[in-house]
Amino acid sequence: MGLAAATVLLVLAVALWLRRDGVEPSPPRVTESGPPAAVARPHSPLAPPAPAPAARVPVPSAPSVDALSAALHEERVSLASSVRVEGIDMDRAWVCAGETIHLSARVGGAPEPGMVSRWVWPVSGGGAELQPGPTLQWRAPMAAGTYRVRFQVCTDLGGRRVGVLAEREVEIDVRACGRGEQQRHDPLRLGLTQRGQGTFSFQAVYQGPARVTVYAWDFGDGSTTTTTEPTVEHTYSLQGLGAQELKSFTVRLQARLDRGGPLEATVFALARGQPPAEAPPPVELRISRWRPNSDGGWRSEVVVRAPEKTDITWERLERISVHWDGEADFATRDWREVIHVEEHLEHGGFRGYVKVSPAEASTDIKQILDSLYGHDATGKEVVVSWSPFKREAPAQSPEAPAPPPLK
């Protein structure tokens, strides 16, 4: 069964949910190793009317965990641990074929040294895709059907051996959608923008004939509030969050209308702990301001120098494209696809340039953020970030439309 790999994010993932007249969907089916736990899902949403019957991909028998390990060229070792997957949050109960759905895992128990989280799922030909981190932006294949994605908490045992501390599998319902059923037609969307360390601005985008009387916000950390405006800011406590450790918060919004039922939307805010102020940076970064490239895109010169006492291996680059309305798109790519290395320096450093294609810098994009991920010789994660492109806000009259085209 064909699958398209999805991307995931440094700072947050932007997502959608809605309520329309219809019948409440069944919750996603989840299986796990360890004690059972309820799967969280959006607050009592109502699914849109089911699309016309269409050919669906039969649900195959779930691939064994050993088969997934073989596809990843790993030797799986199940370990006894207090770590547990408490649940998997989804921003919607089902997704249209070819569109994205966002997932976020909640992990409990005492943290284990060196534990990491990841998502894995089978692809055609007996292979498997892998995405690290507690959140996942998964793009549905074009064929309707039921697809399985597995979340794991693991630790490296050396060589090909991977210790699995906890895991859980979720089934995703992919539907063949008709006109007007795609995500862009949702009456309520929820976006976010990170303003500082642990501080996020949330923006509700509503389209519909009724008037919104109240926006009710649940920030996923026990805090709630109501506003009459479609924007709100919230700061999360990062106490106890280790350096570079990620924590995902499930944010739910309910828009109450002056007529008709309320609408709902969900988004995941991804916060990252920072090292103490006195800690030296893991690498030295120098990057030039972006400048036009001959192909119509943009280019920035970049130099990364690694410290002498360690060797750094780079793994992937996460690119976040921020739209003018605050929404963001996430993409994870092989770092060499984005960074063109012209000279290799010592200990994993390099000199080269970063490119942004004309398509990536389209007129609806306000800024692009890159994060380069790797690890040092001890296995500790190393992250370095920069912005390879930013479009200045145009000076325009209230009647003027969106930003000017890129020159």
Side-chain angles (χ1 to χ4, degrees), residues 32-35 76-85 107-118 151-157 162-168:
E32 64 174 324
S33 60
R76 173 194 172 92
V77 180
S78 297
L79 301 177
S81 173
S82 67
V83 176
R84 62 187 182 276
V85 182
V107 178
E112 298 271 2
M115 75 178 195
V116 295
S117 57
R118 67 182 191 179
F151 175 76
Q152 297 178 325
V153 182
C154 307
T155 185
D156 186 3
L157 300 179
V162 174
V164 179
L165 305 173
E167 61 185 343
R168 177 171 283 204

Side-chain angles (χ1 to χ4, degrees), residues 10 244 272 282-283 314 316 371-374 381-385:
L10 165 66
Q244 300 300 325
R272 180 187 293 275
V283 297
W314 301 109
R316 70 187 189 279
S371 293
L372 177 62
Y373 287 81
E381 185 178 61
V382 177
V383 184
V384 58
S385 302

Side-chain angles (χ1 to χ4, degrees), residues 103-123:
L103 301 91
S104 178
R106 291 177 282 110
V107 178
E112 298 271 2
M115 75 178 195
V116 295
S117 57
R118 67 182 191 179
W119 303 82
V120 295
W121 60 96
V123 297

Side-chain angles (χ1 to χ4, degrees), residues 168-188:
R168 177 171 283 204
E169 186 177 78
V170 61
E171 290 186 351
I172 302 177
D173 181 14
V174 177
R175 302 183 181 181
C177 297
R179 179 178 299 179
E181 294 177 339
Q182 293 86 358
Q183 294 178 15
R184 67 177 181 273
H185 298 295
D186 289 347
L188 182 66

Side-chain angles (χ1 to χ4, degrees), residues 77-405:
V77 180
S78 297
L79 301 177
S81 173
S82 67
V83 176
R84 62 187 182 276
V85 182
E86 296 181 337
I88 296 177
D89 295 335
M90 302 171 63
D91 70 336
R92 54 183 59 238
W94 57 270
V95 62
C96 292
E99 295 196 333
T100 57
I101 185 170
H102 294 73
L103 301 91
S104 178
R106 291 177 282 110
V107 178
E112 298 271 2
M115 75 178 195
V116 295
S117 57
R118 67 182 191 179
W119 303 82
V120 295
W121 60 96
V123 297
S124 60
E129 293 283 353
L130 183 151
Q131 174 67 51
T135 62
L136 173 67
Q137 179 177 290
W138 185 79
R139 182 169 295 279
M142 297 307 297
T146 303
Y147 297 84
R148 295 176 175 88
V149 176
R150 182 176 292 266
F151 175 76
Q152 297 178 325
V153 182
C154 307
T155 185
D156 186 3
L157 300 179
R160 294 175 54 191
R161 300 171 72 239
V162 174
V164 179
L165 305 173
E167 61 185 343
R168 177 171 283 204
E169 186 177 78
V170 61
E171 290 186 351
I172 302 177
D173 181 14
V174 177
R175 302 183 181 181
C177 297
R179 179 178 299 179
E181 294 177 339
Q182 293 86 358
Q183 294 178 15
R184 67 177 181 273
H185 298 295
D186 289 347
L188 182 66
R189 294 180 293 160
L190 180 56
L192 60 78
T193 303
Q194 187 163 12
R195 300 297 187 188
Q197 181 66 16
T199 299
F200 294 84
S201 174
F202 300 96
Q203 309 90 30
V205 180
Y206 167 71
Q207 51 183 358
R211 182 177 62 88
V212 177
T213 58
V214 173
Y215 293 94
W217 307 84
D218 181 341
F219 299 108
D221 62 350
S223 302
T224 61
T225 191
T226 57
T227 65
T228 56
E229 297 297 323
T231 60
V232 69
E233 190 170 281
H234 183 70
T235 299
Y236 292 96
S237 172
L238 303 181
Q239 184 176 2
L241 200 60
Q244 300 300 325
E245 182 182 352
L246 290 171
K247 185 172 183 180
S248 178
F249 297 91
T250 301
V251 182
R252 294 185 173 94
L253 167 66
Q254 185 182 83
R256 301 167 187 169
L257 309 178
D258 61 353
R259 61 181 187 277
L263 303 171
E264 295 186 353
T266 301
V267 72
F268 302 121
L270 196 61
R272 180 187 293 275
Q274 294 292 336
E278 64 273 13
V283 297
E284 176 189 342
L285 169 69
R286 287 190 297 150
I287 187 164
S288 68
R289 183 177 175 83
W290 53 92
R291 55 186 175 84
N293 204 27
S294 58
D295 63 356
W298 301 84
R299 167 176 170 155
S300 301
E301 311 299 325
V302 60
V303 179
V304 172
R305 298 185 185 275
E308 294 183 358
K309 295 183 180 181
T310 188
D311 291 314
I312 297 178
T313 301
W314 301 109
E315 299 168 344
R316 70 187 189 279
L317 184 137
E318 294 182 1
R319 172 160 287 183
I320 303 174
S321 301
V322 183
H323 296 255
W324 287 97
D325 61 4
E327 292 192 18
D329 298 326
F330 303 85
T332 301
R333 298 162 62 180
D334 185 289
W335 72 282
R336 291 182 179 274
E337 295 180 3
V338 183
I339 300 174
H340 300 261
V341 177
E342 297 177 314
E343 179 185 0
H344 292 278
L345 305 179
E346 295 181 327
H347 309 294
F350 60 86
R351 184 191 310 274
Y353 60 93
V354 182
K355 290 185 65 177
V356 176
S357 70
E360 291 175 306
S362 56
T363 55
D364 61 326
I365 297 299
K366 175 182 178 182
Q367 186 177 14
I368 294 176
L369 304 171
D370 285 345
S371 293
L372 177 62
Y373 287 81
H375 64 270
D376 63 16
T378 67
K380 183 179 179 181
E381 185 178 61
V382 177
V383 184
V384 58
S385 302
W386 61 79
S387 175
F389 174 77
K390 183 178 181 181
R391 180 176 282 111
E392 299 299 327
Q396 57 185 25
S397 64
E399 298 78 21

Side-chain angles (χ1 to χ4, degrees), residues 46-65:
L46 297 181
R56 297 178 59 82
V57 175
V59 180
S61 58
S64 68
V65 291

